[in-house]
Amino acid sequence: MPLIQPDPTFYPSAREAMLAPPEELAYVALLDPAGDGRPDGLATIDLSDGTIIDVHDMSVPGDELHHFGWNVCSAALCPYAPHPHVERRYLVLPGLRSSRIYIFDVKDDPRHPKLVKTIEPETVFKKTGYSRPHTVHCGTDAIYVSALGNVNGDAPGGVFTLDHDTFEPKGRWESDRGPQRLHYDFWWHLGHDTMITSEWGTPNQIEPGPSLELLVGRRYGHRLHVWDLARRRHLQEIDLGDQHQMALELRPAHDPTKTHGFVNTVINVEDLSANIFTWYLEDGLWKARKTITIPAEPADPDLLPEPLKQFGAVPPLVSDISLTLDDRILLVSAWGTGELKAYDVSDPFAPRETGSVRIGGIVRRDAHPAAPDRALNGGPQMVEASRDGRRVYFTNSLYRSWDDVFYPDGISSWMAKVDIAADGSIALDPGFFVDFAADGRRAHQIRLQGGDSSSDSYCFP
């Protein structure tokens, strides 16, 4: 009888995952900026030289591909996981505007993913009551998907699950949502049976583009929610302060014995800064403390888009963060100012900046070393660190209607890479620059073949 072995890309601990072979391919979601022209696409990138190997177009236009993920990952090795011998072979791509979900198989030909299933919006609506699927995480018992709102584009948003094998929607995840209404990201502390969720806004608030009225009225999300993961019940609400608008990406420590993580807030309406909060467990209660503030940068109003002219400054607009698997380096993308920052967060309550690179930006338009005479727009946005924590890849598009407000000349999309040194400093790789200008679509989420720093969770330290 043959011995059944787990998928070789699964690792019981983050420490062991850091010893994995270097990534060779990246999968990148591309969105059509017109929204109703040609379909969005899934690009495959050769990471040895930045070559675009393949682009698979979706079936219909208007999906707005956003965040996507794997069907399964290292969480399948948890002692209570009912699927220990599944394979990391499928990419689950939700359309944020269409609520359509695509399933791609990358096993037989990783360089040319194959579309094997499409879940139509009506199925998602009927089985979950949610719309606008946003983020995909592979759990121990199912594929988890966040959704920004209900079928009418209003609150509540939440989480639903897909079956590991059939990919059919199973239904809403929450059994008791308590006061939670707005939604964005979710992650968990598996060792403590706890889920954390964050808040952006409803689809009807978000899809038209950023609203100064909503910002001034402090009506975007600014809370974290704590859940009992097994019982699916809301336990606690953590208000970060309503001046801190849009609490987005959640990055818990990868070591399952630790009880802390990081979340970014996009903009402080009182001073235009962006902030990072550390959440933590203390005396049986989950709490959060502001640990990083990135100030706005003064700028000539003539160089600013209309919503910012009155302020005479560029807000950092921190839109994504990534934590290396050793829980040491936090990468922070300031999409507005065109800066990628690195912080040593070995002490999660006293982060120390270790490096920074500039590229793009609303005002600066910094070039890349591969094309020093070309002014770039957009800025570091979706950021993903390799499993060994030595390389970081990032793209420059946020969300179509928000791109068009802050970069009204239109975003010419690209993907870049920085290398992380032993001391935590970072430097742009001068030989790696993926230019999507010829394609015309905008690059967003990145997934690395075999896993990356934000796709897996672990049950062993």
Side-chain angles (χ1 to χ4, degrees), residues 258 260-262 276-280 289-292 323 326-330 343-353:
K258 297 177 180 177
H260 74 266
F262 304 92
I276 308 294
F277 288 77
T278 301
W279 79 73
Y280 58 100
R289 183 189 308 174
K290 186 193 302 183
T291 49
I292 298 173
L323 180 64
D326 57 3
D327 296 330
R328 179 180 167 232
I329 301 297
L330 184 72
Y343 294 87
D344 187 320
V345 291
S346 301
D347 180 346
F349 301 105
R352 177 177 57 87
E353 185 171 348

Coordinates of all heavy atoms in Angstrom, one line a residue, residues 258 260-262 276-280 289-292 323 326-330 343-353:
K258 N 1.9 33.1 19.7 CA 1.8 34.5 19.9 C 0.4 35.0 19.7 O -0.4 34.5 19.0 CB 2.8 35.3 18.9 CG 4.2 34.9 19.1 CD 5.1 35.6 18.1 CE 6.6 35.3 18.2 NZ 7.4 35.9 17.2
H260 N -0.6 38.4 19.0 CA -0.6 39.8 18.5 C -0.6 39.8 17.0 O -0.4 38.8 16.3 CB 0.7 40.6 19.0 CG 1.9 40.2 18.3 ND1 2.8 39.3 18.9 CD2 2.5 40.7 17.2 CE1 3.9 39.1 18.1 NE2 3.7 40.0 17.0
G261 N -0.9 41.0 16.4 CA -0.9 41.2 15.0 C -0.9 42.7 14.7 O -0.9 43.5 15.6
F262 N -1.0 43.0 13.4 CA -0.9 44.4 12.9 C -2.1 44.7 12.0 O -2.5 43.8 11.1 CB 0.4 44.7 12.3 CG 1.6 44.3 13.1 CD1 2.2 43.1 13.1 CD2 2.1 45.2 14.0 CE1 3.3 42.7 13.9 CE2 3.2 44.9 14.9 CZ 3.7 43.7 14.8
I276 N -0.4 52.4 11.9 CA -0.4 51.0 12.1 C -0.7 50.7 13.6 O -0.1 51.4 14.5 CB 0.9 50.3 11.8 CG1 1.4 50.7 10.4 CG2 0.9 48.8 12.0 CD1 0.5 50.2 9.3
F277 N -1.7 49.8 13.9 CA -2.0 49.4 15.2 C -1.5 48.0 15.5 O -1.6 47.2 14.6 CB -3.5 49.5 15.5 CG -4.0 50.9 15.6 CD1 -4.2 51.6 14.4 CD2 -4.4 51.5 16.8 CE1 -4.8 52.9 14.5 CE2 -4.9 52.7 16.9 CZ -5.1 53.5 15.7
T278 N -1.1 47.7 16.7 CA -0.8 46.4 17.1 C -1.9 45.9 18.0 O -2.3 46.6 19.0 CB 0.5 46.3 18.0 OG1 1.6 46.8 17.2 CG2 0.9 44.9 18.4
W279 N -2.5 44.8 17.6 CA -3.5 44.2 18.5 C -2.9 43.1 19.4 O -1.9 42.5 19.0 CB -4.7 43.7 17.8 CG -4.6 42.4 17.1 CD1 -4.6 41.1 17.7 CD2 -4.5 42.2 15.7 NE1 -4.5 40.2 16.7 CE2 -4.4 40.7 15.5 CE3 -4.5 43.0 14.6 CZ2 -4.3 40.2 14.2 CZ3 -4.3 42.4 13.3 CH2 -4.2 41.0 13.1
Y280 N -3.4 42.8 20.5 CA -2.8 41.9 21.5 C -3.8 41.4 22.5 O -4.9 42.1 22.7 CB -1.6 42.5 22.2 CG -1.9 43.8 22.9 CD1 -2.1 43.8 24.3 CD2 -2.1 45.0 22.3 CE1 -2.4 44.9 25.0 CE2 -2.4 46.2 23.0 CZ -2.5 46.1 24.4 OH -2.8 47.3 25.1
R289 N -3.2 49.0 20.2 CA -2.4 50.2 20.5 C -1.7 50.7 19.2 O -1.2 49.9 18.4 CB -1.3 49.8 21.5 CG -0.5 51.0 22.0 CD 0.7 50.5 22.8 NE 0.3 49.6 23.9 CZ 1.2 49.0 24.7 NH1 2.5 49.1 24.5 NH2 0.7 48.2 25.7
K290 N -1.8 52.0 19.0 CA -1.2 52.6 17.9 C 0.4 52.6 18.0 O 0.9 53.0 19.1 CB -1.6 54.1 17.7 CG -1.1 54.7 16.4 CD -1.3 56.2 16.4 CE -2.7 56.7 16.6 NZ -2.9 58.1 16.5
T291 N 1.1 52.0 17.1 CA 2.5 51.8 17.2 C 3.3 52.4 16.1 O 4.5 52.6 16.2 CB 2.8 50.3 17.3 OG1 2.2 49.6 16.2 CG2 2.4 49.7 18.6
I292 N 2.7 52.8 15.0 CA 3.4 53.5 13.9 C 2.5 54.6 13.3 O 1.3 54.4 13.1 CB 3.8 52.5 12.7 CG1 4.7 51.4 13.2 CG2 4.4 53.3 11.6 CD1 4.9 50.3 12.2
L323 N 3.8 40.8 6.6 CA 4.7 40.4 7.7 C 5.5 39.2 7.3 O 4.9 38.2 6.9 CB 3.8 40.2 9.0 CG 4.6 39.7 10.2 CD1 5.5 40.9 10.7 CD2 3.5 39.3 11.3
D326 N 9.1 35.1 9.9 CA 9.7 35.0 11.2 C 9.1 36.1 12.1 O 9.7 36.3 13.2 CB 11.2 35.2 11.0 CG 11.6 36.5 10.3 OD1 10.7 37.3 10.0 OD2 12.8 36.7 10.1
D327 N 8.1 36.8 11.7 CA 7.4 37.8 12.5 C 8.3 39.0 12.8 O 8.1 39.7 13.8 CB 6.8 37.2 13.8 CG 5.7 36.2 13.5 OD1 5.0 36.4 12.5 OD2 5.5 35.3 14.3
R328 N 9.3 39.2 12.0 CA 10.3 40.2 12.3 C 10.1 41.5 11.5 O 10.2 42.6 12.0 CB 11.7 39.7 12.0 CG 12.8 40.7 12.3 CD 14.2 40.1 12.0 NE 15.2 41.2 12.0 CZ 16.0 41.4 11.0 NH1 16.1 40.6 10.0 NH2 16.9 42.4 11.0
I329 N 9.9 41.4 10.2 CA 9.9 42.6 9.3 C 8.4 42.9 8.8 O 7.8 42.0 8.2 CB 10.8 42.5 8.1 CG1 12.3 42.3 8.6 CG2 10.7 43.7 7.2 CD1 12.8 43.5 9.4
L330 N 7.9 44.0 9.1 CA 6.6 44.5 8.5 C 6.9 45.4 7.4 O 7.5 46.5 7.5 CB 5.8 45.1 9.6 CG 4.4 45.5 9.3 CD1 3.5 44.3 9.1 CD2 3.8 46.5 10.3
Y343 N 9.8 47.9 8.7 CA 10.0 48.1 10.1 C 10.4 46.7 10.8 O 9.8 45.7 10.4 CB 8.7 48.5 10.7 CG 8.2 49.9 10.3 CD1 7.4 50.1 9.2 CD2 8.6 51.1 11.0 CE1 7.0 51.3 8.7 CE2 8.1 52.3 10.6 CZ 7.4 52.5 9.5 OH 7.0 53.7 9.1
D344 N 11.3 46.8 11.7 CA 11.6 45.7 12.6 C 10.5 45.7 13.7 O 10.5 46.6 14.5 CB 13.0 45.8 13.1 CG 13.4 44.5 13.9 OD1 12.6 43.9 14.6 OD2 14.6 44.1 13.8
V345 N 9.7 44.6 13.7 CA 8.6 44.5 14.7 C 8.9 43.4 15.6 O 7.9 42.8 16.2 CB 7.2 44.5 14.1 CG1 6.9 45.8 13.4 CG2 7.2 43.3 13.1
S346 N 10.2 43.0 15.9 CA 10.5 42.0 16.8 C 9.9 42.3 18.2 O 9.4 41.4 18.9 CB 12.0 41.9 17.0 OG 12.6 41.5 15.7
D347 N 9.9 43.6 18.5 CA 9.1 44.1 19.6 C 7.8 44.7 19.0 O 7.9 45.8 18.5 CB 9.8 45.1 20.5 CG 9.0 45.6 21.6 OD1 7.8 45.4 21.7 OD2 9.6 46.3 22.5
P348 N 6.7 44.0 19.0 CA 5.5 44.5 18.3 C 5.0 45.8 18.9 O 4.1 46.5 18.2 CB 4.5 43.4 18.5 CG 5.0 42.6 19.7 CD 6.4 42.7 19.7
F349 N 5.4 46.3 20.0 CA 4.9 47.5 20.6 C 5.9 48.7 20.4 O 5.7 49.8 20.8 CB 4.7 47.3 22.1 CG 3.6 46.3 22.3 CD1 4.0 45.0 22.8 CD2 2.3 46.5 22.1 CE1 3.0 44.0 23.1 CE2 1.3 45.5 22.3 CZ 1.7 44.3 22.8
A350 N 7.1 48.4 19.8 CA 8.1 49.4 19.5 C 8.7 49.1 18.2 O 9.9 48.8 18.1 CB 9.1 49.4 20.7
P351 N 8.0 49.2 17.1 CA 8.5 49.1 15.7 C 9.7 50.1 15.5 O 9.6 51.2 15.9 CB 7.4 49.3 14.8 CG 6.1 49.0 15.7 CD 6.5 49.5 17.0
R352 N 10.6 49.6 14.7 CA 11.8 50.4 14.4 C 12.0 50.4 12.9 O 12.2 49.3 12.3 CB 13.0 49.9 15.1 CG 14.3 50.6 14.8 CD 15.5 50.0 15.6 NE 15.6 48.6 15.3 CZ 16.4 48.0 14.3 NH1 17.0 48.8 13.5 NH2 16.5 46.7 14.2
E353 N 11.9 51.6 12.2 CA 12.1 51.6 10.8 C 13.5 51.2 10.4 O 14.5 51.7 10.9 CB 11.8 53.0 10.2 CG 11.8 53.1 8.7 CD 11.2 54.4 8.1 OE1 10.6 55.2 8.9 OE2 11.4 54.6 6.9

